[in-house]
Amino acid sequence: MAAYINRTIGFGDSLVTPRSPLSDEQISSPLQVFGQAKKQINKIFVDVQDYVADASERMIDVNKLCPDVINENELKSMLDYRSKVKGICEVLTRDHMKVAFFGRTSNGKSTVVNAMLGEKVLPSGIGHTTNCFLQVEGSQTGEAYLVTEGSNEKQNVESVTHLAHALNYEKQLNEKELVHVYWPKDKCSLLRDDVALVDSPGVDVTPHLDDWIDAHCIDADVFVLVANAESTLMVTEKNFFHKVSTKLSKPNIFILNNRWDASANEPEFLDQVRKQHMERATDFLVKELKVCTPEEAVSRVFFISAKEVLQARVKERSGFPLNSGALADGFGARYLEFEDFERKFEECISKSAIKTKFLNHSQQGKHLVKEMLKIMETIHNRSQEQTHLKMCQKKEFQEKLNFIEQQLISITNQMKMKIHQMVDDVEDKVSKALNDEIRRLSVLVDEFNLPFHPEALVLNVYKKELHSHVEAGLGSNLRARLSTALAMNIDQSQREMIDKMSTLLPEDKRNINVTNPKREPFEVLYRLHCDNLCGDFHEQLEFKFSWGLSKLVTRVSSLANWSRNQSRVLIVNIFGCF
């Protein structure tokens, strides 16, 4: 933006025409340079506004997801920048070149404005006429209307005289208030090129000069002092511009010695009076205000007759020749000097407006872009740092995960070996204990006292009860001998597993109380299934004996114990498989 401004304006006296789509033939007025610059800077700020809006939306989204990447202050700053850029864009669309006309009462300020417009728009005439500030600018709708300060109501432009004329008995406005007069752009090239002309009450009618300057002059690009060529510069006129120069750095001031047509009555003093006015005006601009050099001052002082120019232009619009009517001698020279003033005025106001408005906006835009760039770079660097940190953490976690996986595999293998050892140990212990108990089966058999009967149905019941008795007895003995040792071995193995797994946890998590899974108290169950083990056993209970005498005596003598012995034979035969 600054580069464009530097290409658009010169910081000396001359205006450098920018490279724009318009050719040299198309740019018929220096004021069009302002219009082209306005379009260009508007386009730049629209792009900046889109960029800031897009960046703000993305930052809002990132802030919701990752508040540690974009903090609230950065987000707030970006939203503020978006609001500022929007405000600049709105101002740019309203920006126009502004020229303020000042002078003593009845010096012809309103007549000068009307002459530049080519029509009698503002109230003018003898005496104190303009009662308030009147700003004439181009109408966007092509209609002529006015709007008073603090109101949006469009009024008929004919009421300008009623509102602003100081001779009106019903004074509705004071000298500080501003009335916007909108005049069709196609009627005046100045208005078409975004120039606003501000007419003011006389500087000698109120002591509130500071209020005037602050309210209506701070943003003016050019000031035109309309003096009376029949007198000289007055102290009140000088004091006003001294106050302006204290508030603005080297304001652009033109001095119009109006009513120069009076010099036609005394042609013998024409050159002397002109030289006197030029010397005093030059001293005022160069030595007192110090706003320009002596060479520049010569191009800032003019001798005109605004009334003649207005009359001539009004007649010309009505179809009459430019120099028709009763005009004083030398009108042609005065008219050319008025046109020379308009030409130099257009060059000055265009250059000044670009400096005061666009250069300031471009500097603000550059500052905003730089600040936004700082924020975006800070966020970018922070995101890069966090990305690097996350990558390092990811790598560290991946290494830890690989280590834990390896440790889990190692611990799993160790636990499998431990389980195999436990199984082998249990098998050894159970086998040894079971062998010992089988050798003591006679004790269990002696404890079984169910009556025996060889009938098949009773025998099956007897065998079933015998199996149950032996299995319960063996199980009870095995529990007594093995359960405690096996339970202690299993608990020890579980604690060992827990200790090994705890070493894989982070140090700050190792103090967690790790408990065994919730379960019933540990109990070793022994299921021998004696009925299945003896399923293929078939008892033989037939009574056989020899008829020898000795055998007969023996069998008779033991007849009383036959039933008991028979049951023992059955038990021994059943459990012989053990």
Side-chain angles (χ1 to χ4, degrees):
M1 288 181 286
Y4 176 79
I5 295 299
N6 291 336
R7 294 197 304 270
T8 303
I9 62 175
F11 291 96
D13 300 330
S14 61
L15 183 67
V16 180
T17 303
R19 295 179 181 178
S20 68
L22 290 177
S23 64
D24 294 338
E25 292 77 9
Q26 290 174 305
I27 301 179
S28 59
S29 168
L31 299 179
Q32 294 183 3
V33 177
F34 176 85
Q36 290 301 309
K38 183 177 180 180
K39 291 180 180 179
Q40 291 291 332
I41 197 170
N42 267 329
K43 182 178 182 301
I44 292 173
F45 269 97
V46 168
D47 293 340
V48 173
Q49 185 177 13
D50 293 341
Y51 164 76
V52 177
D54 184 60
S56 301
E57 294 300 327
R58 291 181 180 274
M59 289 180 65
I60 292 174
D61 295 338
V62 174
N63 178 258
K64 292 179 180 178
L65 298 175
C66 305
D68 54 337
V69 175
I70 301 177
N71 58 47
E72 293 295 334
N73 291 333
E74 292 169 337
L75 182 60
K76 182 178 181 299
S77 298
M78 187 61 71
L79 295 177
D80 290 342
Y81 294 148
R82 181 170 67 175
S83 176
K84 289 179 180 178
V85 172
K86 182 180 179 181
I88 293 176
C89 289
E90 292 176 353
V91 171
L92 284 172
T93 57
R94 300 192 303 267
D95 264 348
H96 45 243
M97 293 171 281
K98 184 176 181 180
V99 53
F101 294 82
F102 290 95
R104 289 187 296 118
T105 302
S106 301
N107 279 4
K109 299 182 296 298
S110 301
T111 305
V112 172
V113 175
N114 287 334
M116 297 178 73
L117 294 174
E119 295 187 52
K120 189 175 181 180
V121 179
L122 303 183
S124 61
I126 61 174
H128 169 43
T129 55
T130 304
N131 187 48
C132 61
F133 281 84
L134 297 171
Q135 178 168 312
V136 184
E137 52 192 293
S139 171
Q140 299 293 338
T141 61
E143 302 176 273
Y145 62 93
L146 63 88
V147 177
T148 59
E149 189 172 10
S151 173
N152 294 323
E153 181 183 358
K154 296 181 180 181
Q155 302 183 36
N156 193 320
V157 76
E158 295 177 358
S159 61
V160 171
T161 302
H162 177 72
L163 285 172
H165 205 298
L167 300 179
N168 180 36
Y169 291 105
E170 298 179 1
K171 295 181 180 179
Q172 301 184 27
L173 302 172
N174 59 47
E175 67 274 1
K176 185 182 176 181
E177 293 190 65
L178 178 67
V179 174
H180 290 270
V181 180
Y182 295 92
W183 195 249
K185 288 185 176 183
D186 57 354
K187 291 186 177 183
C188 179
S189 61
L190 291 175
L191 303 182
R192 186 167 54 250
D193 292 325
D194 286 337
V195 178
L197 306 176
V198 180
D199 188 18
S200 65
V203 295
D204 52 346
V205 299
T206 177
H208 304 296
L209 295 181
D210 289 341
D211 294 339
W212 284 13
I213 297 171
D214 292 337
H216 307 297
C217 305
I218 288 296
D219 60 341
D221 302 296
V222 171
F223 295 87
V224 178
L225 170 58
V226 181
N228 189 348
E230 297 182 272
S231 62
T232 186
L233 288 177
M234 297 297 179
V235 175
T236 53
E237 296 169 320
K238 291 185 176 182
N239 286 341
F240 176 80
F241 282 97
H242 275 296
K243 290 181 179 294
V244 171
S245 64
T246 60
K247 294 178 177 291
L248 300 175
S249 177
K250 291 187 177 183
N252 297 293
I253 301 175
F254 285 84
I255 298 179
L256 300 183
N257 291 286
N258 193 25
R259 297 180 180 173
W260 188 239
D261 55 324
S263 63
N265 299 326
E266 300 179 0
E268 66 275 12
F269 298 110
L270 177 64
D271 294 337
Q272 294 178 355
V273 175
R274 185 184 181 99
K275 181 179 179 182
Q276 183 186 59
H277 282 315
M278 180 64 74
E279 289 178 351
R280 292 180 178 178
T282 301
D283 288 343
F284 176 60
L285 294 175
V286 176
K287 296 180 180 180
E288 294 186 41
L289 296 181
K290 298 178 181 180
V291 295
C292 60
T293 64
E295 294 75 14
E296 294 172 341
V298 175
S299 63
R300 299 293 180 91
V301 183
F302 298 89
F303 297 83
I304 64 165
S305 174
K307 182 178 180 180
E308 286 183 329
V309 174
L310 176 60
Q311 290 176 350
R313 289 181 173 176
V314 169
K315 288 183 178 181
E316 184 182 19
R317 290 199 174 190
S318 300
F320 294 96
L322 185 64
N323 58 353
S324 64
L327 298 173
D329 293 339
F331 164 72
R334 291 189 294 275
Y335 190 87
L336 290 177
E337 186 152 0
F338 190 86
E339 287 187 329
D340 186 39
F341 153 70
E342 290 180 314
R343 182 168 53 255
K344 292 179 179 178
F345 155 79
E346 289 178 1
E347 293 177 356
C348 180
I349 191 175
S350 177
K351 180 175 67 176
S352 175
I354 293 175
K355 281 185 179 180
T356 57
K357 293 181 171 65
F358 297 161
L359 184 59
N360 180 46
H361 290 323
S362 69
Q363 290 173 346
Q364 290 183 18
K366 286 175 63 177
H367 175 72
L368 291 176
V369 171
K370 286 181 179 179
E371 293 299 318
M372 288 186 290
L373 181 60
K374 288 181 181 178
I375 293 178
M376 300 302 286
E377 286 180 344
T378 301
I379 295 173
H380 175 72
N381 293 335
R382 187 183 301 134
S383 63
Q384 291 291 326
E385 292 175 358
Q386 294 199 10
T387 300
H388 178 70
L389 178 61
K390 297 300 182 183
M391 292 298 294
C392 293
Q393 291 178 347
K394 179 181 178 181
K395 182 178 179 181
E396 181 181 353
F397 290 152
Q398 188 63 46
E399 291 176 351
K400 288 183 178 179
L401 179 61
N402 294 336
F403 174 76
I404 292 174
E405 287 180 349
Q406 294 175 359
Q407 292 297 312
L408 282 173
I409 293 174
S410 176
I411 293 174
T412 302
N413 293 333
Q414 292 177 16
M415 292 301 103
K416 287 181 178 180
M417 292 179 62
K418 183 70 174 178
I419 292 171
H420 287 308
Q421 292 176 359
M422 290 174 58
V423 171
D424 293 340
D425 185 46
V426 170
E427 287 180 352
D428 292 340
K429 289 182 177 180
V430 171
S431 178
K432 183 178 179 181
L434 190 58
N435 287 331
D436 293 341
E437 291 300 321
I438 290 174
R439 295 188 184 97
R440 298 175 60 247
L441 277 176
S442 59
V443 177
L444 290 176
V445 172
D446 289 340
E447 293 175 354
F448 184 72
N449 55 7
L450 188 68
F452 175 79
H453 195 279
E455 186 178 348
L457 182 60
V458 179
L459 182 61
N460 288 332
V461 175
Y462 183 86
K463 287 165 60 177
K464 185 177 180 179
E465 293 297 330
L466 179 61
H467 291 159
S468 299
H469 172 74
V470 172
E471 184 171 347
L474 288 175
S476 177
N477 293 337
L478 291 175
R479 276 196 299 273
R481 296 182 59 179
L482 301 176
S483 294
T484 302
L486 293 177
M488 291 178 62
N489 192 8
I490 291 175
D491 287 339
Q492 182 180 359
S493 298
Q494 286 184 337
R495 285 195 299 270
E496 183 179 350
M497 292 180 186
I498 293 173
D499 292 340
K500 288 182 178 296
M501 294 298 297
S502 297
T503 59
L504 302 180
L505 296 175
E507 293 183 0
D508 57 336
K509 303 295 184 181
R510 293 181 183 178
N511 57 351
I512 297 177
N513 184 22
V514 181
T515 59
N516 294 336
K518 185 178 180 181
R519 57 176 175 76
E520 298 295 329
F522 180 77
E523 181 180 1
V524 181
L525 300 178
Y526 300 92
R527 299 296 302 274
L528 301 179
H529 299 288
C530 293
D531 51 347
N532 292 334
L533 293 175
C534 302
D536 58 348
F537 174 77
H538 299 284
E539 65 279 0
Q540 185 176 2
L541 300 180
E542 293 180 0
F543 183 75
K544 297 178 180 181
F545 62 92
S546 172
W547 291 104
L549 182 61
S550 58
K551 293 292 184 182
L552 182 60
V553 173
T554 302
R555 301 302 288 174
V556 171
S557 62
S558 60
L559 184 60
N561 296 324
W562 177 84
S563 179
R564 182 180 182 88
N565 291 336
Q566 189 64 37
S567 64
R568 285 184 179 179
V569 172
L570 177 62
I571 292 174
V572 172
N573 290 334
I574 290 175
F575 293 100
C577 61
F578 287 102

